[in-house]
Tab-separated table of all heavy atoms in Angstrom:
chain	number	residue	atom	x	y	z
Z	1522	TYR	N	-46.927	-19.727	67.852
Z	1522	TYR	CA	-48.248	-20.335	67.677
Z	1522	TYR	C	-49.095	-19.648	66.609
Z	1522	TYR	O	-50.209	-20.083	66.335
Z	1522	TYR	CB	-49.015	-20.343	69.013
Z	1522	TYR	CG	-48.339	-21.232	70.030
Z	1522	TYR	CD1	-47.465	-20.704	70.971
Z	1522	TYR	CD2	-48.537	-22.600	70.011
Z	1522	TYR	CE1	-46.814	-21.518	71.885
Z	1522	TYR	CE2	-47.887	-23.427	70.919
Z	1522	TYR	CZ	-47.033	-22.874	71.856
Z	1522	TYR	OH	-46.380	-23.688	72.747
Z	1523	ALA	N	-48.576	-18.558	66.042
Z	1523	ALA	CA	-49.388	-17.824	65.061
Z	1523	ALA	C	-49.684	-18.724	63.865
Z	1523	ALA	O	-48.783	-19.368	63.327
Z	1523	ALA	CB	-48.661	-16.561	64.615
Z	1524	GLN	N	-50.939	-18.742	63.482
Z	1524	GLN	CA	-51.349	-19.687	62.436
Z	1524	GLN	C	-51.596	-18.994	61.109
Z	1524	GLN	O	-50.945	-19.243	60.103
Z	1524	GLN	CB	-52.638	-20.402	62.857
Z	1524	GLN	CG	-52.461	-21.389	63.983
Z	1524	GLN	CD	-53.754	-22.170	64.249
Z	1524	GLN	OE1	-54.733	-22.050	63.540
Z	1524	GLN	NE2	-53.732	-22.981	65.294
Z	1525	GLY	N	-52.614	-18.090	61.116
Z	1525	GLY	CA	-53.164	-17.551	59.868
Z	1525	GLY	C	-52.140	-16.919	58.972
Z	1525	GLY	O	-52.053	-17.220	57.781
Z	1526	GLY	N	-51.316	-16.020	59.518
Z	1526	GLY	CA	-50.281	-15.437	58.681
Z	1526	GLY	C	-49.969	-13.991	58.997
Z	1526	GLY	O	-50.265	-13.489	60.077
Z	1527	ILE	N	-49.372	-13.335	58.022
Z	1527	ILE	CA	-48.925	-11.954	58.183
Z	1527	ILE	C	-49.476	-11.155	57.003
Z	1527	ILE	O	-49.272	-11.523	55.841
Z	1527	ILE	CB	-47.380	-11.895	58.324
Z	1527	ILE	CG1	-46.856	-10.464	58.448
Z	1527	ILE	CG2	-46.652	-12.623	57.216
Z	1527	ILE	CD1	-45.439	-10.393	59.037
Z	1528	ALA	N	-50.209	-10.099	57.331
Z	1528	ALA	CA	-50.900	-9.330	56.288
Z	1528	ALA	C	-49.939	-8.338	55.644
Z	1528	ALA	O	-49.161	-7.677	56.333
Z	1528	ALA	CB	-52.080	-8.579	56.907
Z	1591	GLU	N	-58.857	-13.115	55.547
Z	1591	GLU	CA	-59.402	-13.330	56.886
Z	1591	GLU	C	-60.444	-12.254	57.164
Z	1591	GLU	O	-60.602	-11.317	56.383
Z	1591	GLU	CB	-58.277	-13.301	57.926
Z	1591	GLU	CG	-57.317	-14.471	57.763
Z	1591	GLU	CD	-56.142	-14.444	58.730
Z	1591	GLU	OE1	-56.077	-13.537	59.580
Z	1591	GLU	OE2	-55.293	-15.323	58.614
Z	1592	GLY	N	-61.137	-12.396	58.304
Z	1592	GLY	CA	-62.226	-11.492	58.646
Z	1592	GLY	C	-61.820	-10.027	58.560
Z	1592	GLY	O	-60.786	-9.638	59.085
Z	1594	HIS	N	-60.854	-8.304	55.996
Z	1594	HIS	CA	-59.983	-7.946	54.864
Z	1594	HIS	C	-60.823	-7.932	53.583
Z	1594	HIS	O	-61.547	-8.890	53.302
Z	1594	HIS	CB	-58.859	-8.973	54.698
Z	1594	HIS	CG	-57.809	-8.896	55.770
Z	1594	HIS	ND1	-56.754	-8.021	55.712
Z	1594	HIS	CD2	-57.657	-9.580	56.932
Z	1594	HIS	CE1	-55.990	-8.172	56.777
Z	1594	HIS	NE2	-56.518	-9.118	57.544
Z	1599	VAL	N	-53.043	-12.207	52.997
Z	1599	VAL	CA	-52.355	-12.781	54.162
Z	1599	VAL	C	-51.353	-13.855	53.708
Z	1599	VAL	O	-51.745	-14.918	53.220
Z	1599	VAL	CB	-53.373	-13.354	55.165
Z	1599	VAL	CG1	-52.648	-13.941	56.368
Z	1599	VAL	CG2	-54.354	-12.277	55.600
Z	1604	ASP	N	-50.609	-23.723	58.067
Z	1604	ASP	CA	-51.242	-23.089	59.233
Z	1604	ASP	C	-50.245	-22.955	60.381
Z	1604	ASP	O	-50.609	-23.007	61.547
Z	1604	ASP	CB	-52.520	-23.835	59.657
Z	1604	ASP	CG	-52.304	-25.334	59.857
Z	1604	ASP	OD1	-51.179	-25.812	59.635
Z	1604	ASP	OD2	-53.264	-26.021	60.243
Z	1606	THR	N	-47.554	-20.339	60.375
Z	1606	THR	CA	-46.760	-19.201	59.895
Z	1606	THR	C	-45.783	-18.677	60.960
Z	1606	THR	O	-44.629	-18.369	60.666
Z	1606	THR	CB	-47.710	-18.061	59.461
Z	1606	THR	OG1	-48.714	-18.613	58.623
Z	1606	THR	CG2	-46.960	-16.971	58.733
Z	1690	THR	N	-56.105	-18.376	73.958
Z	1690	THR	CA	-55.268	-19.055	72.959
Z	1690	THR	C	-53.788	-18.828	73.260
Z	1690	THR	O	-52.931	-19.427	72.624
Z	1690	THR	CB	-55.516	-18.459	71.558
Z	1690	THR	OG1	-55.146	-17.069	71.595
Z	1690	THR	CG2	-56.961	-18.605	71.127
Z	1717	GLN	N	-59.019	-8.542	72.553
Z	1717	GLN	CA	-59.674	-9.247	71.454
Z	1717	GLN	C	-59.890	-10.716	71.807
Z	1717	GLN	O	-58.948	-11.410	72.191
Z	1717	GLN	CB	-58.799	-9.160	70.203
Z	1717	GLN	CG	-59.437	-9.760	68.984
Z	1717	GLN	CD	-58.656	-9.424	67.714
Z	1717	GLN	OE1	-57.572	-9.933	67.508
Z	1717	GLN	NE2	-59.197	-8.554	66.901
Z	1719	HIS	N	-60.697	-14.198	70.246
Z	1719	HIS	CA	-60.756	-14.872	68.948
Z	1719	HIS	C	-62.034	-15.698	68.935
Z	1719	HIS	O	-62.312	-16.436	69.886
Z	1719	HIS	CB	-59.527	-15.761	68.740
Z	1719	HIS	CG	-59.338	-16.171	67.313
Z	1719	HIS	ND1	-60.196	-17.040	66.681
Z	1719	HIS	CD2	-58.416	-15.811	66.393
Z	1719	HIS	CE1	-59.780	-17.198	65.426
Z	1719	HIS	NE2	-58.710	-16.456	65.226
Z	1720	PRO	N	-62.823	-15.589	67.841
Z	1720	PRO	CA	-64.122	-16.270	67.858
Z	1720	PRO	C	-64.000	-17.790	67.924
Z	1720	PRO	O	-64.852	-18.443	68.509
Z	1720	PRO	CB	-64.753	-15.866	66.514
Z	1720	PRO	CG	-63.977	-14.702	66.022
Z	1720	PRO	CD	-62.620	-14.780	66.633
Z	1721	THR	N	-62.933	-18.352	67.348
Z	1721	THR	CA	-62.934	-19.806	67.204
Z	1721	THR	C	-61.696	-20.471	67.804
Z	1721	THR	O	-60.664	-20.605	67.149
Z	1721	THR	CB	-63.054	-20.195	65.710
Z	1721	THR	OG1	-62.012	-19.550	64.977
Z	1721	THR	CG2	-64.394	-19.793	65.130
Z	1733	LEU	N	-56.104	-22.839	68.826
Z	1733	LEU	CA	-56.750	-21.894	67.905
Z	1733	LEU	C	-57.189	-22.595	66.621
Z	1733	LEU	O	-56.451	-23.406	66.072
Z	1733	LEU	CB	-55.758	-20.788	67.547
Z	1733	LEU	CG	-56.313	-19.715	66.620
Z	1733	LEU	CD1	-57.182	-18.747	67.392
Z	1733	LEU	CD2	-55.199	-18.963	65.926
Z	1734	ILE	N	-58.390	-22.261	66.171
Z	1734	ILE	CA	-58.827	-22.690	64.840
Z	1734	ILE	C	-58.785	-21.432	63.976
Z	1734	ILE	O	-59.644	-20.552	64.087
Z	1734	ILE	CB	-60.266	-23.266	64.861
Z	1734	ILE	CG1	-60.390	-24.398	65.894
Z	1734	ILE	CG2	-60.676	-23.725	63.464
Z	1734	ILE	CD1	-59.639	-25.669	65.557
Z	1735	THR	N	-57.777	-21.353	63.141
Z	1735	THR	CA	-57.493	-20.094	62.438
Z	1735	THR	C	-58.684	-19.542	61.653
Z	1735	THR	O	-59.472	-20.288	61.066
Z	1735	THR	CB	-56.291	-20.249	61.473
Z	1735	THR	OG1	-56.104	-19.016	60.782
Z	1735	THR	CG2	-56.502	-21.344	60.442
Z	1736	GLU	N	-58.725	-18.213	61.625
Z	1736	GLU	CA	-59.744	-17.513	60.863
Z	1736	GLU	C	-59.585	-17.801	59.368
Z	1736	GLU	O	-60.547	-17.713	58.590
Z	1736	GLU	CB	-59.535	-16.010	61.114
Z	1736	GLU	CG	-60.659	-15.163	60.723
Z	1736	GLU	CD	-60.627	-13.865	61.506
Z	1736	GLU	OE1	-60.668	-13.906	62.751
Z	1736	GLU	OE2	-60.564	-12.820	60.867
Z	1737	ALA	N	-58.364	-18.163	58.971
Z	1737	ALA	CA	-58.113	-18.475	57.557
Z	1737	ALA	C	-58.980	-19.653	57.111
Z	1737	ALA	O	-59.294	-19.789	55.932
Z	1737	ALA	CB	-56.638	-18.796	57.358
Z	1738	LEU	N	-59.397	-20.475	58.058
Z	1738	LEU	CA	-60.268	-21.598	57.712
Z	1738	LEU	C	-61.644	-21.078	57.269
Z	1738	LEU	O	-62.262	-21.620	56.350
Z	1738	LEU	CB	-60.392	-22.523	58.929
Z	1738	LEU	CG	-60.948	-23.921	58.723
Z	1738	LEU	CD1	-60.217	-24.663	57.624
Z	1738	LEU	CD2	-60.850	-24.731	60.013
Z	1739	ARG	N	-62.082	-20.008	57.927
Z	1739	ARG	CA	-63.339	-19.382	57.470
Z	1739	ARG	C	-63.105	-18.684	56.127
Z	1739	ARG	O	-63.962	-18.692	55.257
Z	1739	ARG	CB	-63.860	-18.407	58.523
Z	1739	ARG	CG	-64.675	-19.124	59.597
Z	1739	ARG	CD	-65.126	-18.181	60.693
Z	1739	ARG	NE	-64.065	-17.947	61.647
Z	1739	ARG	CZ	-63.733	-16.769	62.165
Z	1739	ARG	NH1	-64.405	-15.692	61.817
Z	1739	ARG	NH2	-62.747	-16.664	63.030
Z	1766	ARG	N	-63.632	-9.697	63.829
Z	1766	ARG	CA	-63.663	-10.570	65.000
Z	1766	ARG	C	-64.589	-10.148	66.123
Z	1766	ARG	O	-65.196	-10.987	66.774
Z	1766	ARG	CB	-62.266	-10.600	65.612
Z	1766	ARG	CG	-61.467	-11.606	64.947
Z	1766	ARG	CD	-60.163	-11.743	65.572
Z	1766	ARG	NE	-59.411	-12.424	64.543
Z	1766	ARG	CZ	-58.134	-12.614	64.575
Z	1766	ARG	NH1	-57.444	-12.189	65.601
Z	1766	ARG	NH2	-57.547	-13.244	63.617
Z	1804	ILE	N	-54.263	-28.158	62.103
Z	1804	ILE	CA	-55.621	-28.180	62.662
Z	1804	ILE	C	-56.231	-29.567	62.460
Z	1804	ILE	O	-56.862	-30.122	63.383
Z	1804	ILE	CB	-56.489	-27.092	61.993
Z	1804	ILE	CG1	-55.985	-25.730	62.463
Z	1804	ILE	CG2	-57.975	-27.274	62.328
Z	1804	ILE	CD1	-56.701	-24.557	61.871
Z	1827	HIS	N	-57.434	-13.501	73.189
Z	1827	HIS	CA	-56.448	-13.786	72.142
Z	1827	HIS	C	-55.376	-12.706	72.000
Z	1827	HIS	O	-54.211	-13.007	71.811
Z	1827	HIS	CB	-57.223	-13.933	70.829
Z	1827	HIS	CG	-56.386	-14.284	69.648
Z	1827	HIS	ND1	-55.655	-15.447	69.579
Z	1827	HIS	CD2	-56.162	-13.633	68.466
Z	1827	HIS	CE1	-55.025	-15.499	68.410
Z	1827	HIS	NE2	-55.305	-14.415	67.725
Z	1828	TYR	N	-55.784	-11.438	72.127
Z	1828	TYR	CA	-54.838	-10.372	71.778
Z	1828	TYR	C	-55.222	-9.089	72.503
Z	1828	TYR	O	-56.406	-8.760	72.596
Z	1828	TYR	CB	-54.885	-10.128	70.261
Z	1828	TYR	CG	-53.866	-9.127	69.802
Z	1828	TYR	CD1	-52.569	-9.531	69.489
Z	1828	TYR	CD2	-54.170	-7.773	69.710
Z	1828	TYR	CE1	-51.612	-8.604	69.102
Z	1828	TYR	CE2	-53.220	-6.846	69.323
Z	1828	TYR	CZ	-51.941	-7.273	69.012
Z	1828	TYR	OH	-50.996	-6.361	68.632
Z	1862	ARG	N	-58.189	-5.117	66.531
Z	1862	ARG	CA	-57.132	-5.437	65.555
Z	1862	ARG	C	-57.686	-6.209	64.364
Z	1862	ARG	O	-58.435	-7.177	64.516
Z	1862	ARG	CB	-56.055	-6.276	66.223
Z	1862	ARG	CG	-54.980	-6.765	65.274
Z	1862	ARG	CD	-53.965	-7.590	66.016
Z	1862	ARG	NE	-54.566	-8.796	66.513
Z	1862	ARG	CZ	-54.318	-10.014	66.038
Z	1862	ARG	NH1	-53.471	-10.172	65.039
Z	1862	ARG	NH2	-54.896	-11.061	66.555
Z	1863	LEU	N	-57.283	-5.788	63.186
Z	1863	LEU	CA	-57.587	-6.558	61.974
Z	1863	LEU	C	-56.687	-7.795	61.971
Z	1863	LEU	O	-55.491	-7.714	62.258
Z	1863	LEU	CB	-57.289	-5.690	60.751
Z	1863	LEU	CG	-57.623	-6.267	59.382
Z	1863	LEU	CD1	-59.133	-6.453	59.209
Z	1863	LEU	CD2	-57.099	-5.346	58.277
Z	1864	ALA	N	-57.287	-8.951	61.630
Z	1864	ALA	CA	-56.547	-10.218	61.676
Z	1864	ALA	C	-55.225	-10.124	60.926
Z	1864	ALA	O	-55.141	-9.490	59.873
Z	1864	ALA	CB	-57.406	-11.308	61.052
Z	1865	SER	N	-54.205	-10.752	61.498
Z	1865	SER	CA	-52.871	-10.881	60.894
Z	1865	SER	C	-52.118	-9.562	60.733
Z	1865	SER	O	-51.113	-9.495	60.021
Z	1865	SER	CB	-52.941	-11.629	59.553
Z	1865	SER	OG	-53.223	-12.987	59.823
Z	1866	ASN	N	-52.592	-8.525	61.414
Z	1866	ASN	CA	-51.861	-7.253	61.405
Z	1866	ASN	C	-50.812	-7.178	62.516
Z	1866	ASN	O	-50.030	-6.239	62.558
Z	1866	ASN	CB	-52.830	-6.071	61.577
Z	1866	ASN	CG	-53.191	-5.418	60.242
Z	1866	ASN	OD1	-52.684	-5.812	59.199
Z	1866	ASN	ND2	-54.069	-4.433	60.280
Z	1867	SER	N	-50.810	-8.148	63.456
Z	1867	SER	CA	-49.904	-7.962	64.603
Z	1867	SER	C	-48.491	-8.430	64.328
Z	1867	SER	O	-47.526	-7.800	64.782
Z	1867	SER	CB	-50.439	-8.638	65.855
Z	1867	SER	OG	-50.851	-9.938	65.573
Z	1868	LEU	N	-48.325	-9.520	63.581
Z	1868	LEU	CA	-46.950	-9.914	63.227
Z	1868	LEU	C	-46.336	-8.795	62.388
Z	1868	LEU	O	-45.173	-8.430	62.549
Z	1868	LEU	CB	-46.963	-11.233	62.446
Z	1868	LEU	CG	-47.372	-12.479	63.247
Z	1868	LEU	CD1	-47.522	-13.684	62.325
Z	1868	LEU	CD2	-46.368	-12.799	64.342
M	777	SIN	C1	-55.830	-16.650	63.090
M	777	SIN	O1	-55.089	-17.378	62.437
M	777	SIN	O2	-57.064	-16.691	63.052
M	777	SIN	C2	-55.204	-15.674	63.980
M	777	SIN	C3	-54.800	-14.526	63.186
M	777	SIN	C4	-54.515	-13.379	64.085
M	777	SIN	O3	-54.695	-13.457	65.290
M	777	SIN	O4	-54.111	-12.350	63.546
Side-chain angles (χ1 to χ4, degrees):
Y1522 295 96
Q1524 289 186 6
I1527 178 161
E1591 294 177 3
H1594 288 276
V1599 180
D1604 52 358
T1606 312
T1690 62
Q1717 185 169 71
H1719 196 291
T1721 55
L1733 181 78
I1734 306 291
T1735 177
E1736 195 156 301
L1738 195 52
R1739 276 177 279 137
R1766 274 185 198 171
I1804 290 178
H1827 182 61
Y1828 185 86
R1862 175 180 66 109
L1863 184 66
S1865 289
N1866 262 357
S1867 48
L1868 291 173

